[in-house]
Amino acid sequence: TNFREYRDEENRPNSNGIYIKEDTRSQWYGAKVTQHFMIGDNPIDLGAEVQSRGVIASDVIGRHVRNLSSIYGKIEFTSTRSIFAVHGRFDNYLGENKPSLGVDTKFNLTEWFVLFGGYSLSHRFPTFLETHWKFDSLNYSWMGSYPEKNNFVEVGVRILENQRQLLSISYFYRITVDPLDIGFYERILSSYNPPYGFYEEIIQDGMKMDASFHLGSFSIEGNFQYLK
């Protein structure tokens, strides 16, 4: 459980004359079961969990309690030079049943040069903030309680030294369908355009680079990301 208090008691110089008292009590609990085993050289992980997430008392958004149940699993197929993994998840939340799945692979061309890639289709459910909160001072609210869908692809290369990564360079491409967005719920001036739009789809792609090496007794790490 967690209890959060916010006070603006107007007991300071230059007050705005608005007294605010906001208390929010939240409660989260649940249970998880996991199992790991091997079939030959192939590791398998299975799991299930149930959660109760709730704001049980709030002067701001009232009482909202949600229940989440999930099952998930992953299996890896390994060989001397490659790994191929399949993973999946099924969530029941907010009255919706949503599956997610993905595949990952890597292939060692040499002892120091590795190709890798992956694809995933996943669903992200909104948080309490995204569902209930309103930004009254800005006249914005979050757009509903539906899950957004994400398609993600990544391919890249890694350079190793004694099984330690020196350099990783990858390209990624993401499509978000029905993104959880902020919308303008009260337009004070008809000529004012909100900075957040109503998008059916958002496409993002870019590149990432991570580098790590030793210089004497020092370890130097760096990363770079370019996003369109």
Side-chain angles (χ1 to χ4, degrees), residues 53-57 61-66 128 132:
R53 307 174 176 180
V55 177
I56 58 178
I61 65 173
R63 176 184 173 89
H64 298 277
V65 179
R66 302 172 174 177
F128 280 94
H132 302 292

Side-chain angles (χ1 to χ4, degrees), residues 69 89-100 123 125 147:
S69 57
R89 183 182 180 95
F90 185 84
D91 294 303
N92 175 268
Y93 190 47
L94 297 177
E96 300 266 5
N97 296 309
K98 291 297 182 182
S100 300
H123 293 85
F125 287 90

Side-chain angles (χ1 to χ4, degrees), residues 39-162:
I39 296 181
D41 295 328
N42 305 314
I44 299 176
D45 293 281
L46 300 174
E49 64 179 325
V50 292
Q51 296 182 34
S52 176
R53 307 174 176 180
V55 177
I56 58 178
S58 173
D59 298 327
V60 182
I61 65 173
R63 176 184 173 89
H64 298 277
V65 179
R66 302 172 174 177
N67 296 314
L68 165 70
S69 57
S70 305
I71 56 174
Y72 48 90
K74 178 180 181 181
I75 180 171
E76 291 185 357
F77 301 94
T78 62
S79 68
T80 55
R81 300 183 66 179
S82 65
I83 296 177
F84 180 78
V86 180
H87 46 89
R89 183 182 180 95
F90 185 84
D91 294 303
N92 175 268
Y93 190 47
L94 297 177
E96 300 266 5
N97 296 309
K98 291 297 182 182
S100 300
L101 57 91
V103 293
D104 299 290
T105 186
K106 73 173 184 176
F107 183 76
N108 293 62
L109 287 177
T110 67
E111 293 184 353
W112 58 271
F113 192 79
V114 179
L115 300 175
F116 68 92
Y119 166 78
S120 67
L121 166 64
S122 62
H123 293 85
R124 186 178 79 83
F125 287 90
T127 64
F128 280 94
L129 174 68
E130 291 169 324
T131 306
H132 302 292
W133 217 274
K134 284 185 170 59
F135 304 91
D136 293 328
S137 61
L138 299 176
N139 298 295
Y140 290 96
S141 68
W142 292 92
M143 298 298 295
S145 58
Y146 53 85
E148 68 178 20
K149 182 170 71 174
N150 291 276
N151 289 275
F152 182 78
V153 177
E154 183 177 25
V155 293
V157 298
R158 296 190 182 106
I159 297 177
L160 310 178
E161 181 184 48
N162 298 324

Side-chain angles (χ1 to χ4, degrees), residues 14-32:
N14 303 319
S15 66
N16 59 9
I18 301 175
Y19 178 84
I20 299 176
K21 174 180 180 245
E22 295 178 353
D23 296 339
T24 300
R25 185 182 296 276
S26 59
Q27 178 176 277
W28 298 55
Y29 61 89
K32 178 187 290 187

